[in-house]
C-alpha cells in the first residue's frame, strides 16, 4: 500500500484587514506636523497643570487636556499606520472625523485656556517681589500660554482639513 499523498495547507482566508504599514507621507504633511505639535503642546498643558496645586474649575481644564491628548494620540497613530478603516462608522469618513475632532478640541481648549487665564489673574497677587509663599501663578501662566497655543494648532488643523475637503479630497495626506 502506497503512503497517502502529502496534505496541502488550506488556502489563506481573506480577512479584509491589511497589515499596518508606516505612512511616511503623513509624517511630512502639514496635518502630520500639526498633530505632533498638538501632542507636544497638549502634553505641556496638562503636565504644567498637574504639577501645580490646583482646585475648582482647573479640574475641567485638566480633563479636557488629557482627553484630547489621548484622542489626538489615537488619531495620529491610526493615521500613521494606515489603520483608520478599522474604526467602526468613522473610518470611512476619516477626514471629516478629524475635522470634527479638531473643532471640538479647539472649542474645549478655548474654554480650558479661559479658565487658566482667569486662575492666573486670581493668583497675580503672588507675583510680587517680596511674596515668598508657594503660589501657582507661574504654572497657571505657562498653562494659559500652552492652552492658547493648543487652540491655535487645532484651529489650523481644522482649517487645513476643511480646505482639503472643499477641494474634494477625502484623505489626510
Amino acid at each position: 500500500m502506497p503512503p497517502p499523498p502529502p496534505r496541502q495547507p488550506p488556502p489563506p482566508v481573506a480577512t479584509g484587514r491589511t497589515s499596518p504599514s508606516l505612512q511616511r507621507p503623513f509624517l511630512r504633511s502639514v496635518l502630520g506636523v500639526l498633530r505632533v505639535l498638538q501632542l507636544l503642546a497638549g502634553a505641556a498643558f496638562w503636565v504644567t497643570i498637574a504639577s501645580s496645586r490646583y482646585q475648582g474649575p482647573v479640574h475641567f481644564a485638566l480633563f479636557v487636556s488629557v482627553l484630547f491628548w489621548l484622542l489626538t494620540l489615537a488619531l495620529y497613530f491610526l493615521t500613521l499606520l494606515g489603520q483608520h478603516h478599522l474604526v467602526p462608522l468613522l473610518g470611512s469618513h476619516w477626514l471629516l472625523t478629524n475635522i470634527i475632532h479638531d473643532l471640538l478640541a479647539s472649542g474645549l481648549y478655548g474654554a480650558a485656556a479661559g479658565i487658566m487665564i482667569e486662575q492666573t489673574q486670581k493668583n497675580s497677587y503672588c507675583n510680587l517681589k517680596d511674596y515668598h509663599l508657594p503660589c501657582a501663578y507661574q504654572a497657571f501662566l505657562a498653562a494659559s500660554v500652552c492652552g492658547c497655543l493648543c487652540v491655535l494648532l487645532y484651529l489650523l488643523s481644522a482649517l487645513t482639513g476643511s480646505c482639503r475637503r472643499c477641494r474634494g479630497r477625502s484623505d489626510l495626506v
Side-chain angles (χ1 to χ4, degrees), residues 10 22 31 34 38 50 52 63 97 109 127 132 136 140 159:
L22 192 64
L31 288 172
L34 282 172
Q38 289 164 357
S52 67
F63 169 75
T97 300
Y109 262 117
N127 195 29
H132 298 292
F140 288 168
L159 181 65

Side-chain angles (χ1 to χ4, degrees), residues 24-45:
R24 292 188 192 272
F26 176 69
L27 286 174
R28 294 183 214 106
S29 71
V30 174
L31 288 172
V33 171
L34 282 172
R35 283 284 184 248
V36 170
L37 292 174
Q38 289 164 357
L39 288 169
L40 292 174
F45 185 69

Side-chain angles (χ1 to χ4, degrees), residues 142-161:
S144 299
V145 170
C146 290
C148 291
L149 181 61
C150 285
V151 171
L152 177 69
L153 290 170
Y154 280 105
L155 280 175
L156 281 172
S157 185
L159 181 65
T160 304

Side-chain angles (χ1 to χ4, degrees), residues 93-173:
H93 305 287
W94 196 241
L95 181 60
L96 182 62
T97 300
N98 278 267
I99 293 169
I100 292 170
H101 165 266
D102 293 337
L103 289 173
L104 284 172
S106 63
L108 289 174
Y109 262 117
I115 288 170
M116 296 314 299
I117 290 169
E118 189 258 338
Q119 292 295 315
T120 302
Q121 290 173 345
K122 270 187 174 178
N123 288 302
S124 64
Y125 65 89
C126 64
N127 195 29
L128 300 172
K129 188 168 89 173
D130 294 328
Y131 191 82
H132 298 292
L133 295 175
C135 180
Y137 175 79
Q138 297 292 334
F140 288 168
L141 181 62
S144 299
V145 170
C146 290
C148 291
L149 181 61
C150 285
V151 171
L152 177 69
L153 290 170
Y154 280 105
L155 280 175
L156 281 172
S157 185
L159 181 65
T160 304
S162 297
C163 287
R164 290 185 70 78
R165 186 163 168 87
C166 286
R167 290 184 195 137
R169 311 275 308 268
S170 62
D171 59 344
L172 290 176
V173 183

Side-chain angles (χ1 to χ4, degrees), residues 74-98:
L75 288 175
Y76 179 73
F77 279 110
L78 283 171
T79 305
L80 182 63
L81 297 174
Q83 298 297 308
H84 56 83
H85 55 76
L86 296 177
V87 181
L89 301 174
L90 302 176
S92 59
H93 305 287
W94 196 241
L95 181 60
L96 182 62
T97 300
N98 278 267

